[in-house]
């Protein structure tokens, strides 16, 4: 495999230079990242006719990647993806308070989570690696955490995203990172989810309360609007779930396989298989937007323009032990991987 790695400085109002790094795998497959938020801004691939296009939704203006605290387009998310009830948890009979950035709750690591930090960047074989040692004073979580986030091409047209966290303190912390990419496999993003099919390897979702906080219960979803075990037309499913009173999908699925989801476009043949080593996948269908935001090619952002598929340990795990263990004890180190397997159906 021969890859080329380039970088360029982008125009933005910031003291630290905003840089874009591009790793080109050849044959139309390439990805680009920013040093703010270890953000994946572009993932290009051909369609069945050889047309090459970015399959991710993102801001049109580089400045928006720096200031955004709403959409998290392409951002690395941590220390913990999803919501933590009341921005707090108990560990060894000690109450530990975290930053609250969505009412009383902590969302996506707080306002100073991975997504808002500037990262050091270096080349890594067939990709790049972002590194940072995060102090408790920076993000409001306990313990000094050494983090690396790598994006590399592996085994042909597979993009591997690897998160490693090492607790370098004498107290425990939390580590449940993910990546917040929004997929739209159409060249023209204003076509929304037309032509898209989705399958999710799950038979249950996590029950959520009125504030989107996990209750600790799992719901069986067979033969409901939430059931994606069989590959389903996304627009039809969206209409079905809206008939239940929901604005769209914003749900954690308990996955049953390492291939957690498959997203494909029947019109142009593009297909992404998502692999994960954890038990959860949050599916969000971009239900609420502000039209003043511009995305790819200067288009106005609109609801259901793309879907976010976020592999992680099930949200709520810190309060519901059956969901998994996201505690990183003093001196411990954990690594998690997400793989996007890209292909084209002829």
């Amino acid at each position: 495999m021969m890859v080329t790695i380039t970088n360029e400085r982008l125009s933005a109002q910031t003291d630290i230079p905003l840089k874009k790094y591009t790793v080109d795998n050849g044959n139309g497959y390439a990805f680009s990242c920013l040093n703010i938020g270890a953000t994946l801004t572009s993932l290009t691939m051909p369609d069945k006719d050889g047309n090459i296009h970015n399959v991710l939704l993102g801001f049109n203006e580089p400045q928006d990647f720096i200031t955004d605290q709403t959409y998290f387009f392409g951002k690395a998310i941590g220390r913990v993806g999803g919501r933590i009830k009341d921005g707090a948890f108990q560990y060894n009979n000690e109450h530990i308070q975290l930053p609250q950035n969505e009412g009383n709750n902590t969302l996506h690591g707080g306002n100073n989570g991975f997504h808002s930090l500037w990262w050091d960047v270096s080349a890594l074989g067939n990709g790049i690696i972002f590194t940072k040692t995060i102090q408790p004073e920076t993000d409001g979580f306990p313990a000094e955490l050494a983090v690396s986030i790598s994006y590399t091409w592996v085994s042909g047209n597979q993009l591997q995203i690897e998160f490693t966290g090492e607790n370098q303190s004498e107290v425990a912390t939390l580590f449940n990172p993910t990546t917040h990419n929004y997929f739209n496999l159409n060249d023209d993003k204003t076509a929304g989810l037309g032509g898209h099919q989705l399958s999710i390897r799950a038979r249950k979702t996590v029950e959520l309360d009125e504030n989107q906080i996990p209750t600790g219960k799992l719901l069986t979803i067979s033969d409901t609007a939430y059931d994606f075990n069989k590959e389903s037309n996304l627009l039809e499913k969206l209409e079905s779930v809206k008939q239940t009173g929901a604005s769209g999908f914003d749900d954690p699925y308990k996955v049953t396989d390492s291939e957690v989801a498959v997203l494909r476009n029947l019109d142009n043949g593009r297909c992404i298989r998502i692999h994960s080593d954890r038990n959860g996948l949050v599916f969000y269908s971009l239900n609420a937007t502000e039209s003043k935001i511009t995305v790819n090619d200067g288009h106005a952002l609109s609801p259901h323009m793309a879907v976010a598929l976020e592999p992680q340990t099930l949200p709520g795990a810190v309060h519901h032990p059956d969901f998994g263990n996201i505690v990183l004890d003093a001196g411990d180190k954990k690594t998690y991987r997400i793989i996007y397997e890209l292909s084209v159906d002829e």
Side-chain angles (χ1 to χ4, degrees), residues 46-75:
D47 67 6
K48 63 184 180 182
D49 297 318
N51 299 309
I52 296 165
H53 222 273
N54 181 14
V55 297
L56 301 182
L57 194 70
F59 293 115
N60 193 53
E61 298 299 325
Q63 188 73 33
D64 289 336
F65 283 106
I66 299 171
T67 56
D68 172 61
Q69 292 278 3
T70 303
Y71 300 103
F72 305 96
F73 288 127
K75 293 296 186 81

Side-chain angles (χ1 to χ4, degrees), residues 74 104 168 172 196 244 270:
N104 292 326
Q168 299 186 328
H196 284 70
T244 70
R270 291 188 179 113

Side-chain angles (χ1 to χ4, degrees), residues 239-285:
E239 287 308 308
S240 295
V241 83
K242 284 181 178 181
Q243 289 173 14
T244 70
S247 59
F249 295 94
D250 190 2
D251 297 276
Y253 283 73
K254 186 177 189 297
V255 294
T256 56
D257 193 88
S258 60
E259 183 180 276
V260 296
V262 180
L263 182 68
R264 75 173 79 242
N265 188 301
L266 296 183
D267 297 332
N268 62 35
R270 291 188 179 113
C271 178
I272 300 180
R273 297 177 181 274
I274 301 177
H275 304 265
S276 168
D277 49 14
R278 287 177 287 169
N279 67 350
L281 178 77
V282 176
F283 170 31
Y284 176 53
S285 56

